[in-house]
């Protein structure tokens, strides 16, 4: 499901999807990376990397914000990247209990520090993290 949701992103280089699932296995929320609602969503902005990085709301944040209730105790599924440190903070604050991610390719070197910090934060907060290594 996260893979499907990622295709809704207009970012030509990185399409990320997130699905928040309740303990009863029903979907609480979906999110994909993109610019905030009501702002310009032009291809030239996505192709200008510094602007894109400043404007993009990550899939995990969008999923948390789109939920119509508490996501405390839920699981989040994310692909094709591990949550960054900023999203890890949001996930922890929202009370999400576990993160499941698939990262099929090596991340951009500039994101590696974000992923390492996110791992440390999840561990400190007692959030379970599991990488899915199978095929879709």
């Amino acid at each position: 499901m996260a893979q499907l949701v990622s295709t809704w992103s207009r970012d030509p280089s990185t399409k990320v999807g997130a699905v928040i699932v309740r303990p009863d296995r029903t979907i609480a929320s979906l999110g994909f990376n993109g610019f905030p609602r009501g702002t310009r969503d032009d291809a030239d902005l996505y192709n200008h990397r510094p602007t894109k990085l400043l404007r993009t709301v990550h899939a995990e944040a969008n999923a948390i914000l789109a939920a119509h209730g508490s996501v405390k105790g839920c699981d989040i599924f994310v692909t094709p990247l591990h949550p960054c440190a900023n999203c890890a903070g949001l996930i922890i604050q929202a009370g999400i209990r576990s993160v499941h991610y698939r990262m099929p390719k090596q991340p951009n070197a500039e994101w590696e520090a974000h992923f390492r910090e996110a791992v440390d934060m999840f561990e400190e907060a007692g959030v379970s993290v599991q990488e899915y290594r199978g095929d879709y």
Side-chain angles (χ1 to χ4, degrees):
M1 177 72 73
Q3 173 63 32
L4 172 66
V5 172
S6 74
T7 66
W8 301 346
S9 172
R10 292 184 43 128
D11 186 335
S13 66
T14 307
K15 296 178 180 295
V16 181
V19 178
I20 299 176
V21 178
R22 295 181 193 95
D24 68 0
R25 309 308 288 166
T26 60
I27 294 171
S29 187
L30 307 170
F32 55 92
N33 61 311
F35 297 160
R37 288 186 197 108
T39 65
R40 285 182 41 222
D41 203 30
D42 305 336
D44 61 321
L45 294 175
Y46 281 106
N47 290 323
H48 185 256
R49 187 166 177 79
T51 300
K52 178 180 84 165
L53 292 175
L54 289 172
R55 285 180 168 245
T56 298
V57 179
H58 290 188
E60 303 91 329
N62 272 324
I64 291 168
L65 291 167
H68 292 290
S70 173
V71 292
K72 185 175 183 178
C74 291
D75 300 333
I76 190 167
F77 295 80
V78 183
T79 192
L81 296 170
H82 186 285
C84 70
N86 294 331
C87 288
L90 295 173
I91 289 166
I92 292 164
Q93 288 296 90
I96 292 174
R97 68 179 179 169
S98 66
V99 175
H100 306 266
Y101 72 97
R102 182 164 190 269
M103 198 157 60
K105 61 182 182 177
Q106 187 66 19
N108 188 319
E110 68 185 283
W111 286 102
E112 287 181 20
H114 280 271
F115 299 146
R116 283 193 304 273
E117 194 65 31
V119 168
D120 290 346
M121 292 167 64
F122 286 138
E123 185 175 313
E124 291 169 22
V127 174
S128 168
V129 179
Q130 182 177 21
E131 181 177 9
Y132 176 72
R133 295 179 183 262
D135 293 330
Y136 290 119

